Amino acid sequence: MTESDERVAPTLEEVARVAGVSRSTVSRVINDMPGVSKRAKEAVTEAIATLKYVPNQAARSLVTRRTNSIALVVSEQGDRVFGDPFFAGVLRGVSAGMAQHRQLVLMMGRTDQDEAVANYLCGGHVDGAVVVSLHGHDTLPKRLAQAGLPVVVVGRPLGDIVVPYVDSDNMSGSLQAARHLVELGRKRIATIAGPEDMAVGIDRLVGWRRGMSEAGRNPDLVVHSDFTGAGGAAAMAELLDRDPTIDGVFAAADIIAVGALQTLADRGRRVPDDVAVVGHDDSILATSTTPALTTVRQSVEELGRSATWRLQAQLAGESHLPPSVLLPTELVVRGSTLIRT
């Protein structure tokens, strides 16, 4: 055993002695509390660096009543979370946006079916939560807010839940997709909509229907899918069975579009010659398909970053914060709608 292995970690009292201040002054500096002169703060900071003192997080939490942790709660099962690029993007954004908090607690599972998630979050383990992918009238955000835990939702919550949220302009994005297919001269335009129990599925369907209405088209070719490739493939097959003359499709997510493209290939339909396809998200999947996918771009990482900013601003006591943040979307045209002459 070396001498460094036997060395005892420096204590708060040693920091106070080296800095020439009281123990309570050191505590106030460490916990960023008021009532400390600039000179004393500099002395404590120098002593901490000299002694290589590491504050005891448990003791600090008792003083500040903060855990220095926030939770990212994804209301989906693990296979969905790790199989969809959307969640990886949100996670990167949340991680990048964590300025004051050092620890991120990732929780997965259908929160409308699991009491343990709410019990943990309300048990003083985290300072706040970012909740993603709510289904139906999930009461988790409302329960957290009522328990006094700051919460921000990624995606517009359904029902009477009044909590801050960050979302993309899904209606505008799907409207752009619908208008693009109409402008291409496509006559029978279908949509593979997202889940009916999620605002994202509802809002993107509303935008597509508006586009069809503007063009005087009958918005009857609708099949819902979950956000999986298998779901998209099955939905595309159902649409083709219903109407083999379909020549345009808006899929509510790139991962759905991937499945739709596979079914079209299996049925001998050329993309974009026979059927033009538009997705949504502009995820990594959009450039991995053949042809590359025309899609509606949303900044998934910015969703996570903005949600984390909103949560941390609330924790910091900032006033006049917006109740919601709506991020822009834009159409990105690629080979799945572009016929080369």
Side-chain angles (χ1 to χ4, degrees), residues 2-287:
T2 66
E3 181 182 348
S4 61
D5 292 329
E6 296 175 343
R7 188 177 299 140
V8 178
T11 65
L12 199 71
E13 288 75 12
E14 287 181 80
V15 174
R17 177 178 56 79
V18 171
V21 299
S22 67
R23 186 182 188 280
S24 61
T25 297
V26 175
S27 179
R28 285 197 294 272
V29 172
I30 290 172
N31 294 305
D32 197 24
M33 299 173 70
V36 182
S37 69
K38 181 180 179 181
R39 183 176 179 181
K41 187 172 184 179
E42 289 175 349
V44 171
T45 302
E46 184 178 344
I48 288 173
T50 300
L51 295 172
K52 295 182 173 58
Y53 173 76
V54 178
N56 183 298
Q57 185 59 46
R60 187 178 184 184
S61 295
L62 289 174
V63 175
T64 63
R65 298 187 182 276
R66 292 287 178 86
T67 65
N68 213 26
S69 302
I70 61 173
L72 174 60
V73 184
V74 184
S75 185
E76 299 286 356
Q77 299 301 329
D79 55 345
R80 277 274 293 109
V81 175
F82 295 117
D84 190 335
F86 173 84
F87 296 110
V90 171
L91 177 58
R92 285 194 299 271
V94 169
S95 180
M98 290 176 63
Q100 303 301 321
H101 291 77
R102 298 191 185 95
Q103 299 179 30
L104 178 64
V105 178
L106 177 61
M107 305 186 73
M108 296 178 292
R110 287 294 294 269
T111 56
D112 55 344
Q113 302 169 1
D114 189 353
E115 287 290 315
V117 173
N119 292 338
Y120 178 89
L121 294 172
C122 294
H125 301 286
V126 296
D127 298 330
V130 174
V131 182
V132 185
S133 202
L134 289 175
H135 290 261
H137 298 280
D138 190 333
T139 61
L140 177 66
K142 187 174 183 178
R143 290 179 60 187
L144 298 182
Q146 289 175 340
L149 186 76
V151 58
V152 177
V153 176
V154 174
R156 180 176 66 85
L158 295 175
D160 61 350
I161 300 174
V162 182
V163 294
Y165 70 90
V166 177
D167 205 354
S168 294
D169 192 349
N170 291 303
M171 286 189 286
S172 175
S174 56
L175 175 59
Q176 292 176 67
R179 285 172 174 169
H180 178 60
L181 291 168
V182 170
E183 289 167 0
L184 292 173
R186 303 293 165 151
K187 303 301 182 185
R188 290 294 284 161
I189 301 172
T191 186
I192 303 176
E196 296 179 87
D197 66 344
M198 299 181 72
V200 61
I202 295 169
D203 293 345
R204 291 178 188 175
L205 178 57
V206 169
W208 175 83
R209 280 180 168 153
R210 178 181 169 185
M212 295 299 98
S213 177
E214 286 180 350
R217 308 292 180 83
N218 186 354
D220 60 324
L221 292 172
V222 180
V223 172
H224 289 271
S225 169
D226 60 6
F227 288 118
T228 65
M236 189 71 249
E238 182 178 340
L239 285 167
L240 289 173
D241 291 342
R242 186 189 303 178
D243 187 344
T245 68
I246 288 172
D247 59 359
V249 177
F250 167 58
D254 292 345
I255 196 168
I256 293 175
V258 168
L261 289 170
Q262 183 59 57
T263 295
L264 290 168
D266 292 344
R267 296 286 186 97
R269 304 298 175 89
R270 298 170 301 164
V271 176
D273 304 71
D274 299 325
V275 183
V277 179
V278 180
H280 196 294
D281 292 345
D282 197 24
S283 68
I284 191 173
L285 298 174
T287 53

